Amino acid sequence: MINSVTQKPYITDKKWQIHKKLVSSTGYAAMGFGTVCGLTGLNNVKFKNKMKVHKYSAYLAGLFTFLHFGIAKGLDKFLYKSE
């Protein structure tokens, strides 16, 4: 009699979908805030509180970039431990 061997998948489809959505969302947020930061840093753009918007968008772009790389590279081993 031959017994078939089945393996558990490393990452289930639901966990993979959540991971993919997190990576995508943080990447788009980082690009958006980076674009806002770059546009407000131009000399031609003039409006009230320009430097405040520029500074906070730069902080948010850095934060979301850090989260994006952390989720994409570093947190996989903690979030999806093989059972």
Side-chain angles (χ1 to χ4, degrees):
M1 179 176 199
I2 299 173
N3 293 334
S4 63
V5 177
T6 58
Q7 294 179 335
K8 280 184 148 180
Y10 176 63
I11 299 175
T12 61
D13 287 336
K14 186 175 181 181
K15 287 182 181 178
W16 181 251
Q17 299 259 336
I18 292 169
H19 172 76
K20 189 174 173 184
K21 187 179 274 189
L22 281 174
V23 171
S24 177
S25 299
T26 55
Y28 284 127
M31 286 192 321
F33 283 118
T35 303
V36 169
C37 178
L39 290 175
T40 56
L42 295 173
N43 288 334
N44 298 340
V45 177
K46 293 182 179 12
F47 62 92
K48 189 176 180 180
N49 298 326
K50 173 185 167 181
M51 290 308 293
K52 187 181 274 189
V53 172
H54 177 71
K55 181 172 68 172
Y56 289 133
S57 63
Y59 289 149
L60 288 172
L63 174 72
F64 279 109
T65 302
F66 179 74
L67 286 174
H68 177 73
F69 284 128
I71 291 170
K73 297 292 182 183
L75 294 179
D76 283 340
K77 55 188 164 190
F78 298 115
L79 292 176
Y80 307 119
K81 291 182 180 178
S82 59
E83 298 170 350

